[in-house]
Amino acid sequence: MAINEIFREMFNDQKREREIEHQKEIIKKALESQGNMLSDFETGMDLLEEEKYEDAMFFLEKCSQNNNSQAQYELGRLLKEGLGTKQNNEKAKKYLLESYKHGFKKAGSLLREMRYKEQGKLNKKLDTKFKNKNSDLGFNIDMPIDWIELESKNKACFDAIAIDNFNGDVIFNIKMQVFLIEIPENMTGCVSLDRVANNMGCIESVDFNNGHCDGKLICGEGIDGTCNYIFIAKGKRGVYDVRVIVDKYLEPIYEEIIDHIIYSFDIVDK
């Protein structure tokens, strides 16, 4: 082997060693940071439990900067209630929105409550017209034409998604969606809708016919401050799940729309 090749190989080995050491240092610092953040979060939650709100906020603020969604929720709640700090709804909403965006659903409940109190009765005028959607998944349903129609992430089982907002708020007023739980051919008769409904948790269910299909109507409340109406029915391709999820404070003004959507659903191949 030529001398320059020997040195080149040696330098490459040294470079690899330096890179490995550098990566080890990065991992070490990341683990230390995570450990510190976890310790700060536990300390903050312990102080909350002891009702030492002002001290808790110091640790929760550190965690919120690392996108800890529960820390963001707790800070929003303390600011909303004026616990350990001066009440500040605008700042509370910022923390709660970040928490909600990072997947902490309970933040949605407080945001809906605050929005309702600020806007009064939210007298949203509804003059909704509908369009009929004929889905490749084998169903028809009416969708409000003035709602925002969302793109399905998985058209093989999930379709017909639309939301209605209030003044462009990220917290939706009402949402509809339909998806198909596909079942192998000739096996749908083995599926019990009662068992499907029971597996959805501790929520009320009744036998229901919407004028097109026999099924089960399931009602429950979400931890994000919503009321959930779910209609499940069987077709030859599988079990269809029709959901209308509405802000619990706005439920009365959307009652006719909820009914229209669920009563319009029909399975093409029963």
Side-chain angles (χ1 to χ4, degrees), residues 111-267:
L111 284 165
R112 293 178 196 284
E113 177 190 334
M114 293 172 74
R115 182 177 69 170
Y116 180 74
K117 287 179 178 177
E118 288 174 3
Q119 300 288 342
K121 293 183 179 180
L122 288 172
N123 291 318
K124 182 177 171 66
K125 293 181 180 179
L126 298 177
D127 183 21
T128 300
K129 295 180 174 59
F130 294 86
K131 63 179 179 181
N132 186 259
K133 180 179 180 69
N134 187 356
S135 170
D136 292 338
L137 297 184
F139 67 85
N140 289 308
I141 196 167
D142 284 352
M143 300 179 70
I145 60 175
D146 56 349
W147 289 15
I148 301 168
E149 190 170 351
L150 304 178
E151 187 68 24
S152 302
K153 291 184 178 179
N154 185 350
K155 288 188 176 292
C157 66
F158 202 73
D159 205 356
I161 315 164
I163 59 173
D164 184 40
N165 285 355
F166 185 85
N167 291 339
D169 200 337
V170 297
I171 305 297
F172 65 82
N173 294 336
I174 185 169
K175 176 181 179 180
M176 65 168 286
Q177 59 192 44
V178 185
F179 62 91
L180 169 65
I181 307 165
E182 203 155 17
I183 295 170
E185 193 174 357
N186 301 323
M187 294 295 290
T188 53
C190 303
V191 176
S192 163
L193 290 183
D194 283 313
R195 297 188 78 174
V196 174
N198 289 339
N199 286 334
M200 289 183 173
C202 300
I203 45 183
E204 297 296 323
S205 68
V206 293
D207 293 328
F208 184 75
N209 183 294
N210 72 339
H212 304 291
C213 320
D214 289 317
K216 302 283 288 187
L217 185 64
I218 303 161
C219 300
E221 285 194 13
I223 62 172
D224 60 345
T226 57
C227 297
N228 303 328
Y229 297 92
I230 306 168
F231 178 54
I232 55 173
K234 288 194 293 185
K236 288 187 177 179
R237 292 178 62 174
V239 175
Y240 291 89
D241 181 321
V242 183
R243 299 189 177 214
V244 183
I245 305 163
V246 60
D247 185 319
K248 69 179 182 180
Y249 296 101
L250 301 179
E251 183 186 23
I253 67 173
Y254 282 102
E255 188 175 336
E256 290 184 10
I257 292 174
I258 295 168
D259 289 347
H260 185 111
I261 291 169
I262 289 177
Y263 278 105
S264 73
F265 175 77
D266 190 17
I267 299 172

